[in-house]
Amino acid sequence: MALRLTLKPNERIVVNGCVIRNANRRQTLQIENTADVIRAEDLLDENCEPTPVKQAYFLIQTALIRADTRDTLVPVVQEKLADLATIFSAPVVGGVFEAANWVSQGDYYKALSALRPVMRREEELFARLSGDASPAVALEGEEC
């Protein structure tokens, strides 16, 4: 089954490591074979504070974008995810296990999707510790 993407004006996506920017009109793309695809809005900004979950997310993101790094990164990612599994409790830890499972299967986009709720929970915990009432996960285009 083909992947159908509708891109907003000037939206960026990464396909097999190649950054592609849409023109000023809404467009629909159909990807008909297997490819590593991620929207720019799902990319973590490399300048964000390196929290434990964000570190794992960034490594998975790098594995998704740069296939040549996967052999090196996957063991590191699995180790980081194993560490995270000892920190969080249910039901959040389920997202960590799910991410580890997707990494093992080579589906890095689904691993990132599984980590997003974990990252939000981590942000909430850090916000409580710092007394900030409005936690936010910083993805590309947003402040960290």
Side-chain angles (χ1 to χ4, degrees), residues 53 113 115-126 135-137:
V53 178
S113 295
L115 272 187
R116 284 187 200 108
V118 179
M119 195 166 22
R120 281 191 293 275
R121 179 65 179 144
E122 179 187 53
E123 286 288 327
E124 290 169 3
L125 293 171
F126 280 133
V137 175

Side-chain angles (χ1 to χ4, degrees), residues 23-72:
N24 355 353
R25 293 187 316 165
R26 187 178 185 95
Q27 299 291 328
T28 301
L29 298 176
Q30 191 163 324
I31 299 172
E32 297 184 350
N33 63 342
T34 303
D36 295 316
V37 179
I38 188 167
R39 292 177 183 268
E41 66 188 31
D42 292 330
L43 295 173
L44 193 64
D45 185 343
E46 65 186 23
N47 296 320
C48 286
E49 182 181 343
T51 65
V53 178
K54 287 179 184 177
Q55 287 175 351
Y57 189 100
F58 190 79
L59 290 171
I60 296 168
Q61 164 185 306
T62 303
L64 173 72
I65 294 170
R66 296 195 46 213
D68 61 318
T69 64
R70 290 177 184 163
D71 289 341
T72 306

Side-chain angles (χ1 to χ4, degrees), residues 85-105:
T86 65
I87 296 171
F88 291 100
S89 60
V92 177
V93 75
V96 175
F97 289 131
E98 186 179 348
N101 182 46
W102 288 121
V103 168
S104 296
Q105 294 180 41

